[in-house]
Amino acid sequence: MKAILHRLSILLLAGLACIAAGCTVGGGAAPTKAAADDAGPVAAKPLLRDPVFDGAADPVLVYNRERGRWWMLYTNRRATAQGLPGVSWVHGTRIGIAESPDGGAHWDYLGTADIELPPTMGGADATHWAPDIVRGDDGLYHMFLTVVPGVFQDWKHPRTIVHLTSSDLRAWHHARVVPLANEKVIDASLARLPDGGWRLWYNNELDGKKTWYADSPDLEHWTDRGRALDQRGEGPKVFRWRGAWWLILDLWRGLGVYRSSDALHWHAQPGALLAEPGQGADDGVIGGHADVVVSGERAWLFYFTHPGRRGADAKADGPAQRRSVIQVAELQEAGGVLGVERDRPAHMRLLPEAPPKNNDRAARAGAAAPSN
């Protein structure tokens, strides 16, 4: 019954949005051209394929103020590389960069990030996974990157979250390990708190892949606070939208959704987003490890798929199954429930971001300080 009510609420929201946009009622309904133009151009599907290894995954979007365009950084898995045993194709990865000329609908490949790591972190041979990026009060971009100190055939090796800074989103320097629960941590997600501090959520693999969190007043000094969620998963993404905090988690069977009023106490939404295959190009499988961009009053879900993991060969391990692409769909919210219609054309209008005002904390609302 809960699943039925959830689906009905999403359908009702879609219908109301369609009417508001000028759709006609009945089969084949479509927004008027004026409404569609105002909503932005339709996103490519798939949104992005990596031209080097065809293994784009784990996207994060950030507005490049110097260039006046949105950038996407992502894990570039070596999906098409030959002769890589075990899971070594997921290691040795670099962070790809793409730029959008039209507010997120289309993307141009720019190359890979120049990430400077010391030998103790693997140096030039290190593996780079799943970055998150924020802009600090110092005007620099701050990347929190999962680093594995080498290329390996299994999952038994250390993984840490490393903090780097950049002035241009391309060259990253001053690497330092974030002191978290242990040396098996991945997938950072950061958000600004109302008191001006920062919170970082991450996946603690030694705690059964549960989500933990840490706090910092300045992005430099961190205090680990322990477990945030009891649910297994990875790739947490936390954001604030429509008066609530949201946490989206990759459950390996779709994306779990959690809601909070204070970014501390989380309530699970029934079901999972992107659990059912879509009908679009390279979208016929579950969606994984997402980023969310809130721009103006709208929000978009950027996720990746393994298009070849379907049918009789779904569990095979070849280039077709390793290949991954980035997709996007617009998020919907009704009555405190998030939904997404992945087969609906995604009209994109990511807005330029103005520099934040110094000490502008009044605009931030809703997160409580931890009690411990």
Side-chain angles (χ1 to χ4, degrees):
M1 179 60 71
K2 289 183 178 179
I4 293 173
L5 291 175
H6 171 62
R7 178 62 178 166
L8 287 174
S9 69
I10 297 304
L11 290 174
L12 177 59
L13 174 67
L16 291 174
C18 183
I19 292 170
C23 298
T24 59
V25 178
T32 64
K33 184 178 185 303
D37 289 346
D38 185 62
V42 173
K45 202 166 188 70
L47 186 66
L48 177 73
R49 288 183 65 175
D50 180 84
V52 181
F53 289 118
D54 209 8
D58 311 336
V60 61
L61 276 74
V62 59
Y63 185 68
N64 188 323
R65 294 197 181 106
E66 290 68 32
R67 289 185 58 83
R69 291 187 173 184
W70 282 88
W71 277 27
M72 181 192 302
L73 285 81
Y74 59 91
T75 306
N76 183 17
R77 297 174 175 177
R78 300 187 292 163
T80 58
Q82 301 296 313
L84 298 181
V87 294
S88 56
W89 66 278
V90 189
H91 291 78
T93 49
R94 295 295 174 258
I95 301 303
I97 302 175
E99 179 181 82
S100 176
D102 58 4
H106 301 87
W107 295 83
D108 300 318
Y109 178 74
L110 297 183
T112 57
D114 179 11
I115 295 174
E116 182 182 82
L117 296 173
T120 54
M121 297 182 191
D125 297 323
T127 292
H128 308 159
W129 287 342
D132 197 17
I133 299 171
V134 296
R135 187 139 183 178
D137 293 334
D138 55 6
L140 296 175
Y141 299 99
H142 293 251
M143 176 189 285
F144 290 78
L145 177 72
T146 300
V147 172
V148 187
V151 178
F152 305 103
Q153 298 182 31
D154 54 45
W155 305 112
K156 299 178 181 179
H157 302 273
R159 297 186 268 279
T160 56
I161 291 175
V162 174
H163 178 194
L164 302 107
T165 53
S166 173
S167 61
D168 62 4
L169 287 172
R170 272 192 175 276
W172 296 88
H173 308 286
H174 310 299
R176 53 274 200 201
V177 174
V178 180
L180 299 173
N182 53 61
E183 291 191 347
K184 276 288 187 73
V185 295
I186 63 173
D187 298 347
S189 175
L190 282 88
R192 195 80 188 254
L193 300 179
D195 65 358
W198 297 87
R199 186 159 294 161
L200 181 156
W201 291 263
Y202 66 95
N203 181 266
N204 183 345
E205 297 194 298
L206 294 185
D207 187 34
K209 295 192 71 65
K210 307 292 176 55
T211 299
W212 284 41
Y213 74 107
D215 286 338
S216 171
D218 55 10
L219 294 173
E220 296 291 344
H221 304 89
W222 292 92
T223 300
D224 197 282
R225 301 293 188 186
R227 188 186 292 179
L229 288 179
D230 292 331
Q231 171 66 50
R232 280 173 49 83
E234 63 185 21
K237 173 61 187 181
V238 177
F239 60 101
R240 185 162 174 80
W241 187 45
R242 296 198 173 182
W245 290 90
W246 304 91
L247 188 155
I248 291 182
L249 187 68
D250 188 346
L251 304 176
W252 311 293
R253 52 178 172 81
L255 302 176
V257 178
Y258 295 80
R259 189 175 187 272
S260 175
S261 61
D262 59 9
L264 286 172
H265 305 93
W266 298 95
H267 305 282
Q269 177 177 304
L273 305 182
L274 307 179
E276 296 299 324
Q279 302 300 313
D282 286 349
D283 204 28
V285 292
I286 62 171
H289 196 129
D291 189 26
V292 172
V293 176
V294 175
S295 188
E297 298 299 317
R298 301 164 69 190
W300 288 268
L301 181 72
F302 295 82
Y303 59 98
F304 84 93
T305 66
H306 283 289
R309 294 185 179 180
R310 57 185 300 185
D313 295 327
K315 296 188 180 299
D317 186 26
Q321 291 77 29
R322 294 177 175 183
R323 186 172 76 87
S324 56
V325 302
I326 308 299
Q327 305 276 12
V328 65
E330 187 165 358
L331 282 173
Q332 303 159 348
E333 184 272 337
V337 176
L338 282 192
V340 66
E341 294 187 35
R342 66 194 300 178
D343 292 330
R344 190 175 186 176
H347 290 266
M348 303 299 300
R349 193 173 295 283
L350 299 180
L351 304 174
E353 288 190 351
K357 298 178 181 178
N358 290 334
N359 299 320
D360 184 14
R361 296 175 181 174
R364 311 183 195 111
S371 57
N372 57 328

